[in-house]
Amino acid sequence: MSGNIAQTAEQVCGAFGDDPARLMDIIRGVQQRLGHVPDAAIDAVARRVGRARVDVESVVSFYAFFSKEPKGRIVIRLCDDVIDRMFGYDAVRAAFEEELGITLGETTPDGRFTLERTACIGMCDQAPAAMINDTIVTWLSTDKARRIVSELREHMTPERLVKRVGGGNNGHPLIRAMVHNSIRRPGPLIFSEINRGEAIRKALSMSPAEVIRAIKTARLRGRGGAGFPTGLKWEFTRSASGDRKFVMCNADEGEPGTFKDRVLLTERADRVFAGMTIAGYAVGACEGVMYLRGEYAYLLRYLEDVLEKRRADGLLGRGVMGRDGFDFDIRIQLGAGAYVCGEETALLSSCEGMRGDPKNRPPFPAQKGYLGCPTVVNNVETLCCVTKILEVGPATFNMYGTSRSAGTKLLSISGDCDSPGVYEIPLGTPLGEVLEMCGGTRAKAVQVGGPSGRLVGRDGFDRLICFDDLATGGALIVFGPDRDILEIVSRYMAFFVDESCGYCTPCRVGNVLIKRGVDAIIAGRAEPRDLEQLEDLCRTVKSTSRCGLGQSSPNPLVTALESFRPEIEARLRADPNGYRRSFDLSRAVRPTEQLVGRKSVHT
Amino acid sequence: MSTSAAKPRVATVSLAGCFGCHMSVLDIDERIFDLVDIIDFDRSPIVDFKDFTGRCAVGLVEGGCGNEENVEVLRSFRRNCDILISLGDCATMGGIPALRNLVPTEECLREAYLDGPSVHNPSGRLPNDIELPLLLDKVRPAHEVVRMDYFLPGCPPSADTIWAALTALLTDKPVQLPYELIKYD
Ligand SMILES: Cc1cc2nc3c(=O)[nH]c(=O)nc-3n(C[C@H](O)[C@H](O)[C@H](O)COP(=O)(O)O)c2cc1C
Ligand code: SF4
Ligand code: SF4
């Protein structure tokens, strides 16, 4: 048995040239063949690629979608985000549990099904949703859950659950997903029609320095969240020394509430790949990698096909569009369910076949990135903007937006509003106006930029969506008047607790303590002093964490307090005797009471 | 020992601790004479008062809470003292006793009274005298049970540290501990 396992593992390694940098693919391949990654496979892989066993094992254990333990042939991963909880997650979960006869986290005794939960899978506008192996199912109800299980029992083929496909390219034979695009408001730039090849042709008619100047003139800033000026980033990479350079497209889209990159990849993949090619020309890179989150594996075959067609048409490969000396090709790297891998240095670690741990900066990726080479990392939408800038010229691009926030921005809107979906708006649009567009004006609060962004109460609805005010990677989650702010904060803290890579103590431990503190307030067991200490802890976590995850993970609480302090403080009560209200003596003695069969005289 | 009502009163207790911190209090040596010039001890193993006789200015708490009695005593300290100090690492963080927090309560009791290799317990029962306080599921540092005002780290804090903190508090001066007093390597 273990001989077979080793043999299979070795075959997979061979298919990837025994390259340790391709460990993500190797492990995925092993798991696909064996259903899990047992010890014998880890041993064999480590031997073949020449890595220490612990390196391989830590990759397996790091990613949510890899498993050392056998899993069911069909793994059902329920998306467990705030949004899903708002729209019936609990009932759907109960229906799955009942129908399968197992509880969350278990595998059926016949080894056919495993039921799990997972963080936001980028389907917030059609929640509750789930992944069934790589197939996405949306708008789940208890009935639908039951139907899904009984159908699967018959044919064990998740793809066959897709009866009606979503609009647009979701119906493409290589995608065939029930996912909907819900493009509510296509804008003038990002969603405009593509003239394939035009942007690259224009770029090639300029020198690389001129291309960078055009991007700078357009005043393009990164759309992935941080808003770094793209032209400047390219310039750094261009001037960094090294013969081999890379362009990475960040398609990890892990921020809960964000799904606009998914729609771009479905509808405007050519524009994204063109952007990567232009970036390659500008910085002097020949190789591009798109890091596609594992949740979007259902798009993989389609995207590979788009790449293949681009190669066939001379838009990729040796001598792009006949230009001697400019070779550029792209490969797609699939992730495996780790939010932190969207952080650019963690993304590099993951692409290099390691745990998705962020790296220390400096050196920045522009100096020393993928495999130690100068690397540009850009978001999917940023790269679309690049292509558009080349298509129409910088002046047309920065006609939209404000002086410091040029162009349009995609928003992924979900939650308590009439029309969830993707909106392309000029940067600088007031939040309130966006709420009118999506029918969410009754909102009590809006989470702008996902959990690592900020919760904005009604007092902030006149604020502007742009880099200098409400910066956002694109998520906008609307909370209606009846939602409990602290419940939302607690759910988001649970997300960060799950997703912290664990390297820094403030992030690994601090987030757990913040969540506990918030839960104590919800349970009515917190005192005013507790909140002071929580705020102090939030400052510590933010200021002493290594990467953006820990630096922003306390934001749900910190920003909720900016708009909702009175509401939150009203739930605090000091104890007249100075006892800690979070300590529950009867609960603490219960196990011993049960063991010795005697009741405490003090409770 | 004088019992003048004008002097502030100080209480001390050892909860889930080893009495090491109390030994360190005694380590102030002859300064104890200076101390009793300005304070009276109230409930404390040092004078063997079993209960409070009056309102205290300061309570020194050694050890965290490992059982229900610890909790009751600590709560009575909170009720009877103006200022409570966590004295030493056990009070501050749980310390050595909190190592058992890694083990479920049942496993802990079984190992200690039933299954341990050196255990002789023909009755096969867990000790259950009514006098025995029930164990908590986990050992808690003092501040998780009542509000604590100051923390003196160290295992134990040195006599000089205790002396400096106590005299500052009792003479209404800010508690400023020089680096040497809270440095442990
Ligand atoms: C925890 C964390 C997760 C992130 N996730 C993403 C992501 O999913 N997609 C993305 O484009 N950027 C993400 N970022 C931002 C990237 O680190 C990086 O700034 C971005 O990809 C740069 O591209 P841009 O300049 O085009 O925005 C994340 C950052 C952090 C700290
Ligand atoms: S801040 Fe959190 S996620 Fe980032 S490196 Fe530290 S532990 Fe990892
Ligand atoms: S801190 Fe050290 S000396 Fe004090 S009670 Fe604990 S173990 Fe004993």
Side-chain angles (χ1 to χ4, degrees), chain A residues 578-580 588 592 598 600, chain B residues 68 79 128 135 137 143 147:
Chain A
Y579 303 170
R580 292 298 306 277
T592 312
R598 161 164 69 94
S600 165
Chain B
E68 55 177 347
R79 288 196 307 276
N128 192 18
L135 226 50
D137 56 348
H143 68 272
R147 174 168 54 80

Side-chain angles (χ1 to χ4, degrees), chain A residues 246-391:
Chain A
F246 287 93
V247 174
M248 295 265 172
C249 171
N250 189 341
D252 196 52
E253 189 157 68
E255 189 71 36
T258 319
F259 47 85
K260 46 102 186 167
D261 290 346
R262 182 235 312 146
V263 178
L264 280 178
L265 293 167
T266 311
E267 296 302 326
R268 292 292 180 272
D270 267 309
R271 193 164 265 156
V272 184
F273 292 135
M276 291 177 75
T277 313
I278 294 163
Y281 176 69
V283 306
C286 303
E287 293 159 89
V289 181
M290 171 180 278
Y291 189 87
L292 182 68
R293 68 185 309 213
E295 290 80 348
Y296 295 167
Y298 75 99
L299 293 173
L300 183 63
R301 281 202 309 154
Y302 168 72
L303 293 172
E304 297 278 14
D305 184 61
V306 173
L307 287 176
E308 203 44 59
K309 292 206 167 92
R310 292 183 73 82
R311 284 183 200 112
D313 294 343
L315 297 170
L316 281 178
R318 287 189 79 77
V320 173
M321 293 191 91
R323 167 63 69 96
D324 263 357
F326 177 47
D327 306 337
F328 192 78
D329 212 330
I330 297 173
R331 81 171 171 90
I332 299 177
Q333 174 68 63
L334 213 49
Y339 162 68
V340 72
C341 287
E343 196 281 336
E344 56 185 11
T345 58
L347 180 141
L348 296 172
S349 302
S350 182
C351 285
E352 288 163 353
M354 300 189 284
R355 285 165 49 99
D357 287 335
K359 304 178 189 227
N360 287 338
R361 289 183 297 187
F364 289 90
Q367 304 151 316
K368 244 173 166 298
Y370 182 50
L371 303 174
C373 306
T375 304
V376 163
V377 183
N378 274 133
N379 171 259
V380 170
E381 186 184 341
T382 312
L383 291 161
C384 279
C385 292
V386 162
T387 309
K388 190 68 192 177
I389 290 167
L390 270 293
E391 283 170 25

Side-chain angles (χ1 to χ4, degrees), chain A residues 467-481:
Chain A
F467 294 107
D468 298 319
D469 192 359
L470 292 177
T472 167
L476 220 114
I477 304 139
V478 185
F479 297 114

Side-chain angles (χ1 to χ4, degrees), chain A residues 441-455:
Chain A
T441 44
R442 287 179 67 236
K444 167 185 191 177
V446 182
Q447 185 78 33
V448 181
S452 61
R454 52 170 44 248
L455 188 71

Side-chain angles (χ1 to χ4, degrees), chain A residues 12-57:
Chain A
V12 177
C13 290
F16 291 98
D18 294 334
D19 182 357
R22 300 298 294 274
L23 259 183
M24 289 292 285
D25 302 293
I26 292 172
I27 289 169
R28 187 180 159 84
V30 170
Q31 175 151 309
Q32 261 169 358
R33 303 256 208 112
L34 301 174
H36 65 300
V37 190
D39 279 322
I42 292 176
D43 285 331
V45 170
R47 250 191 336 267
R48 268 297 278 259
V49 304
R51 278 266 178 95
R53 185 184 196 286
V54 64
D55 288 340
V56 180
E57 179 159 6

Side-chain angles (χ1 to χ4, degrees), chain A residues 78-143:
Chain A
L78 302 179
C79 179
D80 181 8
D81 184 47
V82 167
I83 288 283
D84 303 85
R85 296 258 174 156
M86 284 162 57
F87 293 101
Y89 168 88
D90 287 316
V92 168
R93 166 190 159 167
F96 271 112
E97 288 181 333
E98 198 183 298
E99 208 61 29
L100 292 165
I102 51 176
T103 55
L104 203 69
E106 291 181 341
T107 299
T108 52
D110 61 8
R112 298 217 290 175
F113 296 97
T114 297
L115 185 64
E116 291 184 348
R117 56 183 280 274
T118 189
C120 176
I121 62 171
M123 303 289 156
C124 317
D125 55 339
Q126 35 214 302
M131 299 173 67
I132 302 187
N133 290 353
D134 288 344
T135 302
I136 308 286
V137 289
T138 58
W139 277 311
L140 292 173
S141 60
T142 49
D143 281 353

